[in-house]
Amino acid sequence: MDSLPDAIVPCILVHVTNAKDVASASCVSKRWKESIPYLNKLVFTRNVFDDVKKSSPDDIIEHMVSSISQLEELVVYCPFSGSGLASWLSLAGHSLRKLELKMDDNLIDTNSCSRKLDSIGAATNLESLKLWGVNMTRGPKWHTFYKLRNLEIVGAVTDDSNLHAALMACPNLSNLLLLGCEGLTDVFIELPQLEVCNLDFNGLGNCCLTVNSPKLQHLEVQGCSRIRVLETQLLRNLTISNTSGRVIALDFGKLVALESLEMRGVQWCWNAINKMLQLASEVKHLFMKVEFTGDSDALQPFPEIDIVDFFNSHPKLIKFDIHGAMFAALCQRNSLRNVDSRFVIPCLEEVIVTVRSPLNAEQKMSTLESLINYGKKLRKMRIRILQMKSSHSSTDDFFEDICKFSHMHRRIASIE
């Protein structure tokens, strides 16, 4: 070890981040021990202290943190106390740029969680903060994190006001991830620099969301029934999903830059679906997996959608991933009765169709033929047969028709 050239040592050290490996390395040679102060990252894994009995985890972490002169990244997955965290951050808070903490060991002790959250405020120069298992029963007592660009909170129990207080302390976020958050009903996000936003709210799927971020480019939302996005000029990727409740109302500005739209869920009100499709006239990739519509709890099928009007309204569509209900709506007999000979689907290159029922088999086959006939640039069609009821009398005939269709257009079509 002592014979290594000076330039090699830092190249190796940058890859030695596990705290157990760092401690072992410091015992290997004097040179490694002398290099420890120049580390910039420490990772304490979940079970790192399972075999340690003489010293407390808090003391060991504090000793290692204090031995590094400019610690930039600290990751702690093992159990720790609020007082321990406060002590480490008092030593390294000025230099820390990235902090990741697993905090769910004391979810029952709300006071302990609050103390841990408050301690984070000492790391005033943070650029990235990731928290796992947060019991945010009150707003954290943070000074403003002016340099914080990335905030990720996974598995939080909180409410609207406390979440709002935490976001107010991070005014310059460009990336926000809230995953598996509980207790939220009416969320308001106003972050002028926000570009990427991923939200996943647990519960009954009836949360209301308002976002006011003029630089927003990517938005994923799960678990909301009402969504309002005030600034959408730069929005390029949008995913809306609700597996627990209904999507009732959507209020978006003009989606002039939208390239990718995903709509998922068991039930959406038809007005929400229709409005979203109208707004997304510039979309290039459309994924539709909504099983039912209806303005009440009663599940209803989609109304008929005119295939010509649909593709004329989405002339830039390149990839179309379409599941049962939407495909069935495009397969109504009236949609295909009077197709103008001048009709063409100009940009469509790939279609993925998921079929779940043999009902209206003739119309469905006709729609598949129309996609190939009028899709002048179509180069790939994948047909997925998913959970089709084999007891239905027409299932075998329909499957045979799909096989014949796939064989006839084998350069384009395939069955999965």
Side-chain angles (χ1 to χ4, degrees), residues 107-156:
L107 280 177
I108 298 176
D109 186 352
T110 58
N111 290 327
S112 175
C113 277
S114 296
R115 288 196 297 271
K116 288 182 179 181
L117 280 173
D118 292 345
S119 299
I120 295 172
T124 55
N125 292 315
L126 283 180
E127 296 172 6
S128 176
L129 174 61
K130 300 179 182 181
L131 304 175
W132 299 73
V134 184
N135 196 343
M136 198 182 298
T137 55
R138 62 169 174 79
K141 296 179 181 179
W142 291 342
H143 298 293
T144 304
F145 291 112
Y146 288 107
K147 296 183 179 180
L148 195 67
R149 298 293 182 267
N150 178 64
L151 175 63
E152 300 182 15
I153 300 177
V154 180

Side-chain angles (χ1 to χ4, degrees), residues 45-61:
T45 58
R46 177 73 178 175
N47 302 315
V48 66
F49 297 121
D50 283 359
D51 299 328
V52 177
K53 298 179 179 179
K54 293 184 179 180
S55 302
S56 71
D58 284 348
D59 292 340
I60 296 174
I61 296 175

Side-chain angles (χ1 to χ4, degrees), residues 119-391:
S119 299
I120 295 172
T124 55
N125 292 315
L126 283 180
E127 296 172 6
S128 176
L129 174 61
K130 300 179 182 181
L131 304 175
W132 299 73
V134 184
N135 196 343
M136 198 182 298
T137 55
R138 62 169 174 79
K141 296 179 181 179
W142 291 342
H143 298 293
T144 304
F145 291 112
Y146 288 107
K147 296 183 179 180
L148 195 67
R149 298 293 182 267
N150 178 64
L151 175 63
E152 300 182 15
I153 300 177
V154 180
V157 178
T158 185
D159 59 29
D160 302 330
S161 60
N162 292 328
L163 176 63
H164 183 69
L167 295 181
M168 288 290 288
C170 313
N172 297 317
L173 288 179
S174 59
N175 182 75
L176 173 65
L177 183 145
L178 304 175
L179 181 63
C181 296
E182 300 181 11
L184 299 166
T185 57
D186 193 351
V187 177
F188 179 72
I189 297 173
E190 187 172 23
L191 296 167
Q193 304 301 322
L194 190 64
E195 297 179 2
V196 178
C197 185
N198 295 274
L199 308 174
D200 181 359
F201 303 136
N202 291 344
L204 301 177
N206 59 354
C207 185
C208 296
L209 170 69
T210 301
V211 180
N212 186 15
S213 300
K215 294 186 178 181
L216 190 64
Q217 299 180 27
H218 179 100
L219 176 62
E220 293 187 27
V221 181
Q222 151 62 28
C224 289
S225 60
R226 301 176 185 273
I227 303 171
R228 186 184 183 203
V229 183
L230 303 178
E231 301 283 350
T232 58
Q233 292 88 345
L234 301 180
L235 190 60
R236 293 187 292 108
N237 303 296
L238 174 61
T239 298
I240 301 174
S241 176
N242 196 337
T243 57
S244 301
R246 284 185 297 134
V247 176
I248 297 174
L250 300 173
D251 185 3
F252 284 75
K254 294 182 179 180
L255 299 172
V256 293
L258 193 67
E259 296 181 358
S260 174
L261 171 63
E262 295 190 21
M263 303 165 67
R264 303 171 180 264
V266 177
Q267 183 184 13
W268 284 43
C269 291
W270 178 248
N271 285 340
I273 296 175
N274 193 40
K275 184 173 184 178
M276 201 73 252
L277 290 176
Q278 289 178 0
L279 290 172
S281 59
E282 304 295 311
V283 72
K284 296 179 180 178
H285 176 199
L286 177 59
F287 180 98
M288 282 286 299
K289 190 181 179 181
V290 179
E291 302 298 334
F292 300 97
T293 184
D295 295 334
S296 63
D297 293 337
L299 302 177
Q300 298 178 5
F302 282 26
E304 180 178 335
I305 299 175
D306 189 284
I307 190 172
V308 177
D309 289 345
F310 175 81
F311 283 106
N312 283 340
S313 300
H314 302 86
K316 297 182 180 180
L317 193 60
I318 296 175
K319 184 177 180 180
F320 191 18
D321 197 327
I322 176 175
H323 285 242
M326 181 71 177
F327 181 54
L330 284 171
C331 292
Q332 301 297 329
R333 187 181 302 274
N334 292 335
S335 297
L336 302 169
R337 182 172 294 171
N338 298 309
V339 178
D340 194 312
S341 60
R342 294 171 296 178
F343 170 63
V344 65
I345 305 173
C347 298
L348 191 65
E349 297 180 5
E350 183 177 355
V351 175
I352 303 171
V353 179
T354 301
V355 183
R356 301 185 61 177
S357 169
L359 298 177
N360 300 317
E362 182 181 349
Q363 285 79 18
K364 290 177 179 178
M365 295 308 303
S366 180
T367 298
L368 294 176
E369 288 282 0
S370 297
L371 290 173
I372 287 184
N373 291 338
Y374 300 110
K376 300 305 180 182
K377 293 185 179 181
L378 191 66
R379 54 181 178 80
K380 184 184 294 186
M381 174 184 286
R382 289 184 284 168
I383 306 171
R384 295 173 176 168
I385 311 297
L386 182 64
Q387 298 177 346
M388 189 178 292
K389 297 179 180 179
S390 59
S391 60

